[in-house]
Amino acid sequence: MSTTPLPTALLVHGAFADASSWSGVIAELQNHGIPVVAPPNPLRGLASDAAYIASVASQIDGPVVLVGHSYGGALITVAGTTENVVGLVYVAAYVLEEGESLGELQGRFPLSPLVSNLKEWTYPVEGGEPAVEVTIKAEAFPEIFAADVPAPVTKVLAAAQRPLAAAVFEETAAAAAWKTKPSWALVADADQAINPEVERFGAKRAGATIVELEGASHAVAVSQPKEVADLIRDAVRATS
């Protein structure tokens, strides 16, 4: 009988959300006996956020499957080079190439409605000028981020947004872990935050095993947690 531990699913949320966006997925995975960790994503910079996720992964005993939603996909692409990471799962996510930025990847395709519905804020930076961060305009949030989630829930999600540092769009990925690790990808075909073509292109380029969910919004982990968990389970099974 094998004594190899089951990989831990490390879930990385994206911009405008927090780890609670994985709640339904976490419950599904736990029901199937899969260990799960869902750390906070700082949302302050591609290199620094990826370093944080890599640090969390490296402190987990045994193998890890990294799961990234949205901007979290860019982070697992870099953090996935960590030695104990055995697979990558992209959920309605950016899949970057080494040396590529989010802005570059996005710029190859028509921009999503998200881009014209961002609100700018500033935050203090020690010893420097205030930096810019962005959220989605509250009135546009339901349609852009979570069109298939009940309206009362989207109102709460809109109020609880975690802002993303604007500088992340220009930072380039220091590595592309999908070149050496197997990957899986879920494309949300009704996504209004990331053009589904961006998701498809990155997933195909990475040679990922791809699942498309018809009518799924960007918040697919909230609206269809079972389907998202099923893909993660496939990755865990294939890498254990």
Side-chain angles (χ1 to χ4, degrees), residues 9-15 17-19 21-22 36-43 49-50 52-54 56-57 64-77 79 89-91 93 221 232:
L10 196 164
L11 313 182
V12 184
H13 68 81
D18 61 28
S21 59
W22 292 113
V36 189
V37 177
N41 174 354
L43 304 176
D49 294 344
Y52 175 72
I53 297 304
V56 175
V64 170
V65 169
L66 284 181
V67 183
H69 173 246
S70 189
Y71 164 63
L75 302 186
I76 70 168
T77 297
V89 181
Y90 294 94
V91 179
I232 297 168

Side-chain angles (χ1 to χ4, degrees), residues 29-216:
L29 294 174
Q30 288 176 337
N31 286 342
H32 287 90
I34 294 168
V36 189
V37 177
N41 174 354
L43 304 176
R44 295 291 81 157
L46 183 52
S48 61
D49 294 344
Y52 175 72
I53 297 304
S55 167
V56 175
S58 68
Q59 293 174 73
I60 292 171
D61 287 336
V64 170
V65 169
L66 284 181
V67 183
H69 173 246
S70 189
Y71 164 63
L75 302 186
I76 70 168
T77 297
V78 178
T81 57
T82 307
E83 201 177 333
N84 62 329
V85 172
V86 293
L88 309 165
V89 181
Y90 294 94
V91 179
Y94 293 105
V95 188
L96 294 180
E97 168 64 281
E98 187 175 343
E100 184 177 57
S101 70
L102 294 172
E104 276 176 273
L105 173 57
Q106 217 165 238
R108 296 182 184 170
F109 301 90
L111 292 176
S112 72
L114 171 79
V115 181
S116 56
N117 282 286
L118 292 174
K119 178 173 166 60
E120 290 195 353
W121 308 73
T122 60
Y123 64 97
V125 178
E126 201 176 333
E129 292 294 308
V132 176
E133 61 184 12
V134 291
T135 57
I136 302 170
K137 291 174 184 169
E139 65 277 9
F141 185 94
E143 189 184 344
I144 286 172
F145 200 85
D148 55 354
V149 174
V153 178
T154 60
K155 282 180 79 172
V156 173
L157 295 176
Q161 286 183 69
R162 289 202 40 216
L164 176 69
V168 303
F169 289 100
E170 306 310 317
E171 264 191 88
T172 57
W178 49 258
K179 291 183 171 174
T180 56
K181 315 258 170 119
S183 60
W184 289 258
L186 186 150
V187 174
D189 88 343
D191 201 328
Q192 298 288 301
I194 299 178
N195 182 337
E197 287 298 331
V198 173
E199 297 171 20
R200 271 185 213 108
F201 171 81
K204 282 180 182 159
R205 179 171 63 179
T209 300
I210 302 171
V211 171
E212 287 227 12
L213 284 189
E214 205 175 317

